[in-house]
Amino acid sequence: MKTLSLMLLLALLAAPAFAALKGQAAPDFTLESSVTTQPEHTKLDQCKAEVVLIKLWGVR
Amino acid sequence: MKALPSLQAMWNEYGGKGLNMFLLESQGTEEDKLKTFLAEKGVTAPVFMGGLASYPGDNGLPFAYVIGVDGKVVFEGRGNYEAVIKTELAKIKYPGLGKIEIAKGLEGAAANFVARQYAKAIADCNKVLDKSKDDAAKADAQFIIDRCNAEAERLKARADKFAEEKHYVEAIAALETIAAGFKGMEVATAAADKVKEWKKDKEIKKELDAQVALNKLVEATKNARTKAEKAKPLRDFAKKYEGTRAAMDASVLADKAEAG
């Protein structure tokens, strides 16, 4: 039982500490110039009643 | 990133039809290297450098957020978010309008807005404002008129920005959208007059011809097999059109091709 508790504690400590946004009002943002196509909208408030995909990614 | 081709396919299909895409390169890759990488992959979907403090992810890449039509986050994390996007897109009746539901009798005005027939949309709305006794319909009519006027302002700003950079092809396209969409209105006449004025200007005509020629050259050399095959025509172009913005753009593209 002690081992199980310890494992649970370790798992909780190892879990990524990030604030979940799902279900919440999306925080506003403004972006500058795109390095490819300059989109018509670069601010969240310009995307009302539309769908927005924000994808964090890396080349490497 | 493996998902780039599918993201590009999604952009080709839904970009401008209700889907806004912001791909944030978050590993600090240098701009030149990033542009070369994206050009090689054929990515035209909007890519930005850096992250967003309010969308931090979980320290691992990739990481995605999908914001639904009601302005709430409907997906965060990894995995298949395409189905979520499609579900949200299916809720949009009038892409770009900024409203999901519109009062009865204004469906035509909303459809005209989407088709960029702004003058027709405004005329439809003015009829409702004049005759309707329904406050909700009047509010929606005024909302659509305001959206049309905001579009005119946005397109004018876009034209000014591109003209400042001497990218007249894009600047003229923005003004022509105003001229066609607001036909019969003062704003359309002003836009059409500006286009005429630009096209008469010898310096601007030179820039326009060079930009059109560069676009054709880029298309023609798209499948060049070697760096030299791609760079040399661009260097020749830069010499031929020296002094124009397109020549500067060609030199930058040649540098990238050689570095690639």
Side-chain angles (χ1 to χ4, degrees), chain B residues 3 15 24 48 55 63 69-70 84 89 92 113 118 142 144 148 151 156 176 181 185 193 204 211 216 228 251:
Chain B
L24 310 179
F48 297 81
Y55 296 86
F63 194 92
V69 294
D70 63 355
V84 179
L89 284 171
I92 301 174
F113 175 90
Y118 305 113
Q142 191 55 54
I144 295 174
C148 289
E151 277 301 284
K156 273 195 270 183
E176 284 177 340
M185 296 176 69
D193 287 349
I204 293 177
Q211 204 181 332
K216 282 184 187 166
S251 294

mmCIF file with all atom_site columns, all heavy atoms in Angstrom, chain B residues 3 15 24 48 55 63 69-70 84 89 92 113 118 142 144 148 151 156 176 181 185 193 204 211 216 228 251:
data_model
loop_
_atom_site.group_PDB
_atom_site.id
_atom_site.type_symbol
_atom_site.label_atom_id
_atom_site.label_alt_id
_atom_site.label_comp_id
_atom_site.label_asym_id
_atom_site.label_entity_id
_atom_site.label_seq_id
_atom_site.pdbx_PDB_ins_code
_atom_site.Cartn_x
_atom_site.Cartn_y
_atom_site.Cartn_z
_atom_site.occupancy
_atom_site.B_iso_or_equiv
_atom_site.pdbx_formal_charge
_atom_site.auth_seq_id
_atom_site.auth_comp_id
_atom_site.auth_asym_id
_atom_site.auth_atom_id
_atom_site.pdbx_PDB_model_num
ATOM 1   N N   . ALA B 1 3   ? 2.988   15.977 -39.284 1.00 0.00 ? 3   ALA B N   1
ATOM 2   C CA  . ALA B 1 3   ? 1.622   16.437 -39.544 1.00 0.00 ? 3   ALA B CA  1
ATOM 3   C C   . ALA B 1 3   ? 1.543   17.581 -40.548 1.00 0.00 ? 3   ALA B C   1
ATOM 4   O O   . ALA B 1 3   ? 0.441   17.948 -40.943 1.00 0.00 ? 3   ALA B O   1
ATOM 5   C CB  . ALA B 1 3   ? 0.967   16.859 -38.231 1.00 0.00 ? 3   ALA B CB  1
ATOM 6   N N   . GLY B 1 15  ? -9.224  26.891 -45.202 1.00 0.00 ? 15  GLY B N   1
ATOM 7   C CA  . GLY B 1 15  ? -8.708  28.247 -44.982 1.00 0.00 ? 15  GLY B CA  1
ATOM 8   C C   . GLY B 1 15  ? -9.606  29.256 -45.702 1.00 0.00 ? 15  GLY B C   1
ATOM 9   O O   . GLY B 1 15  ? -9.952  29.057 -46.861 1.00 0.00 ? 15  GLY B O   1
ATOM 10  N N   . LEU B 1 24  ? 2.653   27.733 -34.822 1.00 0.00 ? 24  LEU B N   1
ATOM 11  C CA  . LEU B 1 24  ? 3.691   28.483 -34.105 1.00 0.00 ? 24  LEU B CA  1
ATOM 12  C C   . LEU B 1 24  ? 4.962   27.644 -33.959 1.00 0.00 ? 24  LEU B C   1
ATOM 13  O O   . LEU B 1 24  ? 4.964   26.647 -33.224 1.00 0.00 ? 24  LEU B O   1
ATOM 14  C CB  . LEU B 1 24  ? 3.185   28.868 -32.709 1.00 0.00 ? 24  LEU B CB  1
ATOM 15  C CG  . LEU B 1 24  ? 1.807   29.544 -32.644 1.00 0.00 ? 24  LEU B CG  1
ATOM 16  C CD1 . LEU B 1 24  ? 1.434   29.840 -31.199 1.00 0.00 ? 24  LEU B CD1 1
ATOM 17  C CD2 . LEU B 1 24  ? 1.791   30.825 -33.446 1.00 0.00 ? 24  LEU B CD2 1
ATOM 18  N N   . PHE B 1 48  ? 3.990   31.203 -37.777 1.00 0.00 ? 48  PHE B N   1
ATOM 19  C CA  . PHE B 1 48  ? 4.531   32.324 -37.017 1.00 0.00 ? 48  PHE B CA  1
ATOM 20  C C   . PHE B 1 48  ? 5.703   31.830 -36.172 1.00 0.00 ? 48  PHE B C   1
ATOM 21  O O   . PHE B 1 48  ? 5.765   30.649 -35.820 1.00 0.00 ? 48  PHE B O   1
ATOM 22  C CB  . PHE B 1 48  ? 3.458   32.916 -36.093 1.00 0.00 ? 48  PHE B CB  1
ATOM 23  C CG  . PHE B 1 48  ? 2.282   33.485 -36.844 1.00 0.00 ? 48  PHE B CG  1
ATOM 24  C CD1 . PHE B 1 48  ? 1.275   32.651 -37.307 1.00 0.00 ? 48  PHE B CD1 1
ATOM 25  C CD2 . PHE B 1 48  ? 2.204   34.840 -37.111 1.00 0.00 ? 48  PHE B CD2 1
ATOM 26  C CE1 . PHE B 1 48  ? 0.200   33.168 -38.019 1.00 0.00 ? 48  PHE B CE1 1
ATOM 27  C CE2 . PHE B 1 48  ? 1.133   35.365 -37.823 1.00 0.00 ? 48  PHE B CE2 1
ATOM 28  C CZ  . PHE B 1 48  ? 0.133   34.530 -38.269 1.00 0.00 ? 48  PHE B CZ  1
ATOM 29  N N   . TYR B 1 55  ? -1.062  30.375 -24.382 1.00 0.00 ? 55  TYR B N   1
ATOM 30  C CA  . TYR B 1 55  ? -1.257  29.004 -24.896 1.00 0.00 ? 55  TYR B CA  1
ATOM 31  C C   . TYR B 1 55  ? 0.077   28.273 -24.762 1.00 0.00 ? 55  TYR B C   1
ATOM 32  O O   . TYR B 1 55  ? 0.779   28.056 -25.749 1.00 0.00 ? 55  TYR B O   1
ATOM 33  C CB  . TYR B 1 55  ? -1.733  29.039 -26.358 1.00 0.00 ? 55  TYR B CB  1
ATOM 34  C CG  . TYR B 1 55  ? -3.087  29.679 -26.507 1.00 0.00 ? 55  TYR B CG  1
ATOM 35  C CD1 . TYR B 1 55  ? -3.224  31.062 -26.630 1.00 0.00 ? 55  TYR B CD1 1
ATOM 36  C CD2 . TYR B 1 55  ? -4.240  28.906 -26.501 1.00 0.00 ? 55  TYR B CD2 1
ATOM 37  C CE1 . TYR B 1 55  ? -4.466  31.662 -26.738 1.00 0.00 ? 55  TYR B CE1 1
ATOM 38  C CE2 . TYR B 1 55  ? -5.503  29.492 -26.615 1.00 0.00 ? 55  TYR B CE2 1
ATOM 39  C CZ  . TYR B 1 55  ? -5.596  30.870 -26.724 1.00 0.00 ? 55  TYR B CZ  1
ATOM 40  O OH  . TYR B 1 55  ? -6.845  31.450 -26.831 1.00 0.00 ? 55  TYR B OH  1
ATOM 41  N N   . PHE B 1 63  ? 1.823   20.367 -29.888 1.00 0.00 ? 63  PHE B N   1
ATOM 42  C CA  . PHE B 1 63  ? 0.709   20.527 -28.956 1.00 0.00 ? 63  PHE B CA  1
ATOM 43  C C   . PHE B 1 63  ? -0.320  21.423 -29.644 1.00 0.00 ? 63  PHE B C   1
ATOM 44  O O   . PHE B 1 63  ? 0.045   22.402 -30.274 1.00 0.00 ? 63  PHE B O   1
ATOM 45  C CB  . PHE B 1 63  ? 1.193   21.178 -27.658 1.00 0.00 ? 63  PHE B CB  1
ATOM 46  C CG  . PHE B 1 63  ? 0.209   21.073 -26.523 1.00 0.00 ? 63  PHE B CG  1
ATOM 47  C CD1 . PHE B 1 63  ? 0.273   20.012 -25.630 1.00 0.00 ? 63  PHE B CD1 1
ATOM 48  C CD2 . PHE B 1 63  ? -0.806  22.022 -26.358 1.00 0.00 ? 63  PHE B CD2 1
ATOM 49  C CE1 . PHE B 1 63  ? -0.639  19.912 -24.579 1.00 0.00 ? 63  PHE B CE1 1
ATOM 50  C CE2 . PHE B 1 63  ? -1.717  21.923 -25.318 1.00 0.00 ? 63  PHE B CE2 1
ATOM 51  C CZ  . PHE B 1 63  ? -1.633  20.862 -24.417 1.00 0.00 ? 63  PHE B CZ  1
ATOM 52  N N   . VAL B 1 69  ? -16.591 27.606 -32.320 1.00 0.00 ? 69  VAL B N   1
ATOM 53  C CA  . VAL B 1 69  ? -17.326 28.788 -32.798 1.00 0.00 ? 69  VAL B CA  1
ATOM 54  C C   . VAL B 1 69  ? -17.907 29.627 -31.654 1.00 0.00 ? 69  VAL B C   1
ATOM 55  O O   . VAL B 1 69  ? -18.221 30.797 -31.844 1.00 0.00 ? 69  VAL B O   1
ATOM 56  C CB  . VAL B 1 69  ? -18.453 28.391 -33.777 1.00 0.00 ? 69  VAL B CB  1
ATOM 57  C CG1 . VAL B 1 69  ? -17.890 27.803 -35.054 1.00 0.00 ? 69  VAL B CG1 1
ATOM 58  C CG2 . VAL B 1 69  ? -19.421 27.428 -33.125 1.00 0.00 ? 69  VAL B CG2 1
ATOM 59  N N   . ASP B 1 70  ? -18.028 29.034 -30.465 1.00 0.00 ? 70  ASP B N   1
ATOM 60  C CA  . ASP B 1 70  ? -18.547 29.811 -29.327 1.00 0.00 ? 70  ASP B CA  1
ATOM 61  C C   . ASP B 1 70  ? -17.421 30.506 -28.559 1.00 0.00 ? 70  ASP B C   1
ATOM 62  O O   . ASP B 1 70  ? -17.658 31.102 -27.508 1.00 0.00 ? 70  ASP B O   1
ATOM 63  C CB  . ASP B 1 70  ? -19.356 28.908 -28.387 1.00 0.00 ? 70  ASP B CB  1
ATOM 64  C CG  . ASP B 1 70  ? -18.502 27.810 -27.753 1.00 0.00 ? 70  ASP B CG  1
ATOM 65  O OD1 . ASP B 1 70  ? -17.311 27.685 -28.112 1.00 0.00 ? 70  ASP B OD1 1
ATOM 66  O OD2 . ASP B 1 70  ? -19.023 27.072 -26.896 1.00 0.00 ? 70  ASP B OD2 1
ATOM 67  N N   . VAL B 1 84  ? -12.757 17.178 -34.397 1.00 0.00 ? 84  VAL B N   1
ATOM 68  C CA  . VAL B 1 84  ? -13.293 18.297 -33.595 1.00 0.00 ? 84  VAL B CA  1
ATOM 69  C C   . VAL B 1 84  ? -13.436 19.532 -34.488 1.00 0.00 ? 84  VAL B C   1
ATOM 70  O O   . VAL B 1 84  ? -14.453 20.232 -34.449 1.00 0.00 ? 84  VAL B O   1
ATOM 71  C CB  . VAL B 1 84  ? -12.340 18.611 -32.406 1.00 0.00 ? 84  VAL B CB  1
ATOM 72  C CG1 . VAL B 1 84  ? -12.848 19.779 -31.585 1.00 0.00 ? 84  VAL B CG1 1
ATOM 73  C CG2 . VAL B 1 84  ? -12.175 17.391 -31.523 1.00 0.00 ? 84  VAL B CG2 1
ATOM 74  N N   . LEU B 1 89  ? -16.673 23.328 -37.682 1.00 0.00 ? 89  LEU B N   1
ATOM 75  C CA  . LEU B 1 89  ? -16.872 23.990 -38.984 1.00 0.00 ? 89  LEU B CA  1
ATOM 76  C C   . LEU B 1 89  ? -18.303 23.786 -39.498 1.00 0.00 ? 89  LEU B C   1
ATOM 77  O O   . LEU B 1 89  ? -18.871 24.675 -40.133 1.00 0.00 ? 89  LEU B O   1
ATOM 78  C CB  . LEU B 1 89  ? -15.874 23.442 -40.020 1.00 0.00 ? 89  LEU B CB  1
ATOM 79  C CG  . LEU B 1 89  ? -14.435 23.955 -39.897 1.00 0.00 ? 89  LEU B CG  1
ATOM 80  C CD1 . LEU B 1 89  ? -13.524 23.173 -40.827 1.00 0.00 ? 89  LEU B CD1 1
ATOM 81  C CD2 . LEU B 1 89  ? -14.347 25.445 -40.221 1.00 0.00 ? 89  LEU B CD2 1
ATOM 82  N N   . ILE B 1 92  ? -20.872 26.468 -38.823 1.00 0.00 ? 92  ILE B N   1
ATOM 83  C CA  . ILE B 1 92  ? -20.767 27.816 -39.412 1.00 0.00 ? 92  ILE B CA  1
ATOM 84  C C   . ILE B 1 92  ? -21.629 27.926 -40.665 1.00 0.00 ? 92  ILE B C   1
ATOM 85  O O   . ILE B 1 92  ? -21.458 27.182 -41.622 1.00 0.00 ? 92  ILE B O   1
ATOM 86  C CB  . ILE B 1 92  ? -19.297 28.136 -39.784 1.00 0.00 ? 92  ILE B CB  1
ATOM 87  C CG1 . ILE B 1 92  ? -18.422 28.066 -38.542 1.00 0.00 ? 92  ILE B CG1 1
ATOM 88  C CG2 . ILE B 1 92  ? -19.188 29.516 -40.424 1.00 0.00 ? 92  ILE B CG2 1
ATOM 89  C CD1 . ILE B 1 92  ? -16.943 28.213 -38.832 1.00 0.00 ? 92  ILE B CD1 1
ATOM 90  N N   . PHE B 1 113 ? -22.798 38.940 -47.833 1.00 0.00 ? 113 PHE B N   1
ATOM 91  C CA  . PHE B 1 113 ? -21.562 39.293 -47.123 1.00 0.00 ? 113 PHE B CA  1
ATOM 92  C C   . PHE B 1 113 ? -20.488 38.235 -47.389 1.00 0.00 ? 113 PHE B C   1
ATOM 93  O O   . PHE B 1 113 ? -19.350 38.561 -47.717 1.00 0.00 ? 113 PHE B O   1
ATOM 94  C CB  . PHE B 1 113 ? -21.821 39.417 -45.611 1.00 0.00 ? 113 PHE B CB  1
ATOM 95  C CG  . PHE B 1 113 ? -20.571 39.656 -44.822 1.00 0.00 ? 113 PHE B CG  1
ATOM 96  C CD1 . PHE B 1 113 ? -20.128 40.944 -44.575 1.00 0.00 ? 113 PHE B CD1 1
ATOM 97  C CD2 . PHE B 1 113 ? -19.804 38.588 -44.362 1.00 0.00 ? 113 PHE B CD2 1
ATOM 98  C CE1 . PHE B 1 113 ? -18.941 41.162 -43.877 1.00 0.00 ? 113 PHE B CE1 1
ATOM 99  C CE2 . PHE B 1 113 ? -18.620 38.803 -43.673 1.00 0.00 ? 113 PHE B CE2 1
ATOM 100 C CZ  . PHE B 1 113 ? -18.195 40.093 -43.430 1.00 0.00 ? 113 PHE B CZ  1
ATOM 101 N N   . TYR B 1 118 ? -20.779 43.212 -50.821 1.00 0.00 ? 118 TYR B N   1
ATOM 102 C CA  . TYR B 1 118 ? -21.085 44.056 -49.654 1.00 0.00 ? 118 TYR B CA  1
ATOM 103 C C   . TYR B 1 118 ? -22.179 45.090 -49.930 1.00 0.00 ? 118 TYR B C   1
ATOM 104 O O   . TYR B 1 118 ? -23.014 45.359 -49.064 1.00 0.00 ? 118 TYR B O   1
ATOM 105 C CB  . TYR B 1 118 ? -19.807 44.739 -49.162 1.00 0.00 ? 118 TYR B CB  1
ATOM 106 C CG  . TYR B 1 118 ? -18.690 43.756 -48.848 1.00 0.00 ? 118 TYR B CG  1
ATOM 107 C CD1 . TYR B 1 118 ? -17.524 43.710 -49.609 1.00 0.00 ? 118 TYR B CD1 1
ATOM 108 C CD2 . TYR B 1 118 ? -18.818 42.854 -47.792 1.00 0.00 ? 118 TYR B CD2 1
ATOM 109 C CE1 . TYR B 1 118 ? -16.509 42.801 -49.323 1.00 0.00 ? 118 TYR B CE1 1
ATOM 110 C CE2 . TYR B 1 118 ? -17.812 41.949 -47.497 1.00 0.00 ? 118 TYR B CE2 1
ATOM 111 C CZ  . TYR B 1 118 ? -16.656 41.932 -48.275 1.00 0.00 ? 118 TYR B CZ  1
ATOM 112 O OH  . TYR B 1 118 ? -15.654 41.032 -47.997 1.00 0.00 ? 118 TYR B OH  1
ATOM 113 N N   . GLN B 1 142 ? -27.976 45.990 -38.561 1.00 0.00 ? 142 GLN B N   1
ATOM 114 C CA  . GLN B 1 142 ? -26.916 46.959 -38.265 1.00 0.00 ? 142 GLN B CA  1
ATOM 115 C C   . GLN B 1 142 ? -25.573 46.242 -38.085 1.00 0.00 ? 142 GLN B C   1
ATOM 116 O O   . GLN B 1 142 ? -24.533 46.737 -38.521 1.00 0.00 ? 142 GLN B O   1
ATOM 117 C CB  . GLN B 1 142 ? -27.275 47.747 -36.990 1.00 0.00 ? 142 GLN B CB  1
ATOM 118 C CG  . GLN B 1 142 ? -26.373 48.941 -36.753 1.00 0.00 ? 142 GLN B CG  1
ATOM 119 C CD  . GLN B 1 142 ? -26.320 49.918 -37.939 1.00 0.00 ? 142 GLN B CD  1
ATOM 120 O OE1 . GLN B 1 142 ? -27.362 50.384 -38.389 1.00 0.00 ? 142 GLN B OE1 1
ATOM 121 N NE2 . GLN B 1 142 ? -25.135 50.180 -38.461 1.00 0.00 ? 142 GLN B NE2 1
ATOM 122 N N   . ILE B 1 144 ? -24.591 43.500 -39.609 1.00 0.00 ? 144 ILE B N   1
ATOM 123 C CA  . ILE B 1 144 ? -24.045 43.139 -40.940 1.00 0.00 ? 144 ILE B CA  1
ATOM 124 C C   . ILE B 1 144 ? -23.478 44.382 -41.640 1.00 0.00 ? 144 ILE B C   1
ATOM 125 O O   . ILE B 1 144 ? -22.401 44.329 -42.254 1.00 0.00 ? 144 ILE B O   1
ATOM 126 C CB  . ILE B 1 144 ? -25.117 42.431 -41.804 1.00 0.00 ? 144 ILE B CB  1
ATOM 127 C CG1 . ILE B 1 144 ? -25.501 41.085 -41.167 1.00 0.00 ? 144 ILE B CG1 1
ATOM 128 C CG2 . ILE B 1 144 ? -24.611 42.206 -43.236 1.00 0.00 ? 144 ILE B CG2 1
ATOM 129 C CD1 . ILE B 1 144 ? -26.656 40.367 -41.852 1.00 0.00 ? 144 ILE B CD1 1
ATOM 130 N N   . CYS B 1 148 ? -19.672 44.929 -42.912 1.00 0.00 ? 148 CYS B N   1
ATOM 131 C CA  . CYS B 1 148 ? -19.293 45.331 -44.279 1.00 0.00 ? 148 CYS B CA  1
ATOM 132 C C   . CYS B 1 148 ? -18.330 46.520 -44.221 1.00 0.00 ? 148 CYS B C   1
ATOM 133 O O   . CYS B 1 148 ? -17.293 46.521 -44.907 1.00 0.00 ? 148 CYS B O   1
ATOM 134 C CB  . CYS B 1 148 ? -20.538 45.723 -45.087 1.00 0.00 ? 148 CYS B CB  1
ATOM 135 S SG  . CYS B 1 148 ? -21.598 44.338 -45.509 1.00 0.00 ? 148 CYS B SG  1
ATOM 136 N N   . GLU B 1 151 ? -14.969 45.486 -43.149 1.00 0.00 ? 151 GLU B N   1
ATOM 137 C CA  . GLU B 1 151 ? -14.249 44.795 -44.226 1.00 0.00 ? 151 GLU B CA  1
ATOM 138 C C   . GLU B 1 151 ? -13.609 45.812 -45.174 1.00 0.00 ? 151 GLU B C   1
ATOM 139 O O   . GLU B 1 151 ? -12.483 45.628 -45.634 1.00 0.00 ? 151 GLU B O   1
ATOM 140 C CB  . GLU B 1 151 ? -15.187 43.862 -45.009 1.00 0.00 ? 151 GLU B CB  1
ATOM 141 C CG  . GLU B 1 151 ? -15.384 42.502 -44.370 1.00 0.00 ? 151 GLU B CG  1
ATOM 142 C CD  . GLU B 1 151 ? -14.079 41.739 -44.198 1.00 0.00 ? 151 GLU B CD  1
ATOM 143 O OE1 . GLU B 1 151 ? -13.544 41.202 -45.182 1.00 0.00 ? 151 GLU B OE1 1
ATOM 144 O OE2 . GLU B 1 151 ? -13.577 41.690 -43.045 1.00 0.00 ? 151 GLU B OE2 1
ATOM 145 N N   . LYS B 1 156 ? -8.726  48.237 -47.145 1.00 0.00 ? 156 LYS B N   1
ATOM 146 C CA  . LYS B 1 156 ? -7.955  49.459 -47.421 1.00 0.00 ? 156 LYS B CA  1
ATOM 147 C C   . LYS B 1 156 ? -6.604  49.400 -46.701 1.00 0.00 ? 156 LYS B C   1
ATOM 148 O O   . LYS B 1 156 ? -5.573  49.739 -47.270 1.00 0.00 ? 156 LYS B O   1
ATOM 149 C CB  . LYS B 1 156 ? -8.735  50.693 -46.952 1.00 0.00 ? 156 LYS B CB  1
ATOM 150 C CG  . LYS B 1 156 ? -9.701  51.216 -48.015 1.00 0.00 ? 156 LYS B CG  1
ATOM 151 C CD  . LYS B 1 156 ? -10.176 52.619 -47.682 1.00 0.00 ? 156 LYS B CD  1
ATOM 152 C CE  . LYS B 1 156 ? -11.417 52.582 -46.856 1.00 0.00 ? 156 LYS B CE  1
ATOM 153 N NZ  . LYS B 1 156 ? -12.000 53.886 -46.531 1.00 0.00 ? 156 LYS B NZ  1
ATOM 154 N N   . GLU B 1 176 ? -9.362  46.059 -55.650 1.00 0.00 ? 176 GLU B N   1
ATOM 155 C CA  . GLU B 1 176 ? -10.361 45.546 -56.610 1.00 0.00 ? 176 GLU B CA  1
ATOM 156 C C   . GLU B 1 176 ? -11.494 44.808 -55.896 1.00 0.00 ? 176 GLU B C   1
ATOM 157 O O   . GLU B 1 176 ? -12.625 44.794 -56.373 1.00 0.00 ? 176 GLU B O   1
ATOM 158 C CB  . GLU B 1 176 ? -9.680  44.669 -57.668 1.00 0.00 ? 176 GLU B CB  1
ATOM 159 C CG  . GLU B 1 176 ? -8.941  45.537 -58.691 1.00 0.00 ? 176 GLU B CG  1
ATOM 160 C CD  . GLU B 1 176 ? -8.176  44.750 -59.752 1.00 0.00 ? 176 GLU B CD  1
ATOM 161 O OE1 . GLU B 1 176 ? -7.888  43.559 -59.505 1.00 0.00 ? 176 GLU B OE1 1
ATOM 162 O OE2 . GLU B 1 176 ? -7.853  45.341 -60.799 1.00 0.00 ? 176 GLU B OE2 1
ATOM 163 N N   . GLY B 1 181 ? -16.994 44.684 -54.652 1.00 0.00 ? 181 GLY B N   1
ATOM 164 C CA  . GLY B 1 181 ? -17.939 44.364 -53.578 1.00 0.00 ? 181 GLY B CA  1
ATOM 165 C C   . GLY B 1 181 ? -18.845 45.512 -53.183 1.00 0.00 ? 181 GLY B C   1
ATOM 166 O O   . GLY B 1 181 ? -19.983 45.298 -52.764 1.00 0.00 ? 181 GLY B O   1
ATOM 167 N N   . MET B 1 185 ? -21.048 52.398 -54.635 1.00 0.00 ? 185 MET B N   1
ATOM 168 C CA  . MET B 1 185 ? -20.850 53.198 -53.422 1.00 0.00 ? 185 MET B CA  1
ATOM 169 C C   . MET B 1 185 ? -19.557 54.015 -53.544 1.00 0.00 ? 185 MET B C   1
ATOM 170 O O   . MET B 1 185 ? -18.660 53.667 -54.315 1.00 0.00 ? 185 MET B O   1
ATOM 171 C CB  . MET B 1 185 ? -20.795 52.277 -52.186 1.00 0.00 ? 185 MET B CB  1
ATOM 172 C CG  . MET B 1 185 ? -22.110 51.544 -51.947 1.00 0.00 ? 185 MET B CG  1
ATOM 173 S SD  . MET B 1 185 ? -22.038 50.366 -50.582 1.00 0.00 ? 185 MET B SD  1
ATOM 174 C CE  . MET B 1 185 ? -21.896 51.473 -49.193 1.00 0.00 ? 185 MET B CE  1
ATOM 175 N N   . ASP B 1 193 ? -10.589 54.291 -58.579 1.00 0.00 ? 193 ASP B N   1
ATOM 176 C CA  . ASP B 1 193 ? -9.776  55.430 -59.031 1.00 0.00 ? 193 ASP B CA  1
ATOM 177 C C   . ASP B 1 193 ? -8.316  55.254 -58.630 1.00 0.00 ? 193 ASP B C   1
ATOM 178 O O   . ASP B 1 193 ? -7.405  55.567 -59.397 1.00 0.00 ? 193 ASP B O   1
ATOM 179 C CB  . ASP B 1 193 ? -10.316 56.742 -58.420 1.00 0.00 ? 193 ASP B CB  1
ATOM 180 C CG  . ASP B 1 193 ? -11.625 57.167 -59.069 1.00 0.00 ? 193 ASP B CG  1
ATOM 181 O OD1 . ASP B 1 193 ? -11.994 56.588 -60.110 1.00 0.00 ? 193 ASP B OD1 1
ATOM 182 O OD2 . ASP B 1 193 ? -12.289 58.069 -58.509 1.00 0.00 ? 193 ASP B OD2 1
ATOM 183 N N   . ILE B 1 204 ? 5.156   52.511 -60.847 1.00 0.00 ? 204 ILE B N   1
ATOM 184 C CA  . ILE B 1 204 ? 4.339   51.421 -60.286 1.00 0.00 ? 204 ILE B CA  1
ATOM 185 C C   . ILE B 1 204 ? 4.120   50.333 -61.342 1.00 0.00 ? 204 ILE B C   1
ATOM 186 O O   . ILE B 1 204 ? 4.161   49.140 -61.042 1.00 0.00 ? 204 ILE B O   1
ATOM 187 C CB  . ILE B 1 204 ? 2.998   51.970 -59.741 1.00 0.00 ? 204 ILE B CB  1
ATOM 188 C CG1 . ILE B 1 204 ? 3.288   52.865 -58.531 1.00 0.00 ? 204 ILE B CG1 1
ATOM 189 C CG2 . ILE B 1 204 ? 2.045   50.836 -59.367 1.00 0.00 ? 204 ILE B CG2 1
ATOM 190 C CD1 . ILE B 1 204 ? 2.070   53.532 -57.929 1.00 0.00 ? 204 ILE B CD1 1
ATOM 191 N N   . GLN B 1 211 ? 6.847   42.206 -60.691 1.00 0.00 ? 211 GLN B N   1
ATOM 192 C CA  . GLN B 1 211 ? 6.271   41.261 -59.710 1.00 0.00 ? 211 GLN B CA  1
ATOM 193 C C   . GLN B 1 211 ? 5.556   40.098 -60.409 1.00 0.00 ? 211 GLN B C   1
ATOM 194 O O   . GLN B 1 211 ? 5.685   38.945 -60.001 1.00 0.00 ? 211 GLN B O   1
ATOM 195 C CB  . GLN B 1 211 ? 5.297   42.001 -58.782 1.00 0.00 ? 211 GLN B CB  1
ATOM 196 C CG  . GLN B 1 211 ? 5.121   41.303 -57.443 1.00 0.00 ? 211 GLN B CG  1
ATOM 197 C CD  . GLN B 1 211 ? 4.145   42.022 -56.534 1.00 0.00 ? 211 GLN B CD  1
ATOM 198 O OE1 . GLN B 1 211 ? 3.975   43.232 -56.620 1.00 0.00 ? 211 GLN B OE1 1
ATOM 199 N NE2 . GLN B 1 211 ? 3.507   41.271 -55.667 1.00 0.00 ? 211 GLN B NE2 1
ATOM 200 N N   . LYS B 1 216 ? 5.803   34.316 -62.059 1.00 0.00 ? 216 LYS B N   1
ATOM 201 C CA  . LYS B 1 216 ? 5.879   33.285 -63.112 1.00 0.00 ? 216 LYS B CA  1
ATOM 202 C C   . LYS B 1 216 ? 7.186   32.496 -63.000 1.00 0.00 ? 216 LYS B C   1
ATOM 203 O O   . LYS B 1 216 ? 7.200   31.280 -63.138 1.00 0.00 ? 216 LYS B O   1
ATOM 204 C CB  . LYS B 1 216 ? 5.786   33.932 -64.502 1.00 0.00 ? 216 LYS B CB  1
ATOM 205 C CG  . LYS B 1 216 ? 4.370   34.315 -64.891 1.00 0.00 ? 216 LYS B CG  1
ATOM 206 C CD  . LYS B 1 216 ? 4.361   34.852 -66.307 1.00 0.00 ? 216 LYS B CD  1
ATOM 207 C CE  . LYS B 1 216 ? 2.981   35.404 -66.642 1.00 0.00 ? 216 LYS B CE  1
ATOM 208 N NZ  . LYS B 1 216 ? 2.991   36.218 -67.849 1.00 0.00 ? 216 LYS B NZ  1
ATOM 209 N N   . ALA B 1 228 ? 21.661  25.413 -57.796 1.00 0.00 ? 228 ALA B N   1
ATOM 210 C CA  . ALA B 1 228 ? 22.085  26.334 -58.855 1.00 0.00 ? 228 ALA B CA  1
ATOM 211 C C   . ALA B 1 228 ? 20.969  26.545 -59.881 1.00 0.00 ? 228 ALA B C   1
ATOM 212 O O   . ALA B 1 228 ? 20.744  27.663 -60.349 1.00 0.00 ? 228 ALA B O   1
ATOM 213 C CB  . ALA B 1 228 ? 23.339  25.791 -59.541 1.00 0.00 ? 228 ALA B CB  1
ATOM 214 N N   . SER B 1 251 ? 16.489  38.342 -55.159 1.00 0.00 ? 251 SER B N   1
ATOM 215 C CA  . SER B 1 251 ? 17.814  38.136 -54.542 1.00 0.00 ? 251 SER B CA  1
ATOM 216 C C   . SER B 1 251 ? 17.684  37.350 -53.239 1.00 0.00 ? 251 SER B C   1
ATOM 217 O O   . SER B 1 251 ? 18.492  36.452 -52.960 1.00 0.00 ? 251 SER B O   1
ATOM 218 C CB  . SER B 1 251 ? 18.480  39.486 -54.243 1.00 0.00 ? 251 SER B CB  1
ATOM 219 O OG  . SER B 1 251 ? 18.749  40.138 -55.442 1.00 0.00 ? 251 SER B OG  1
#
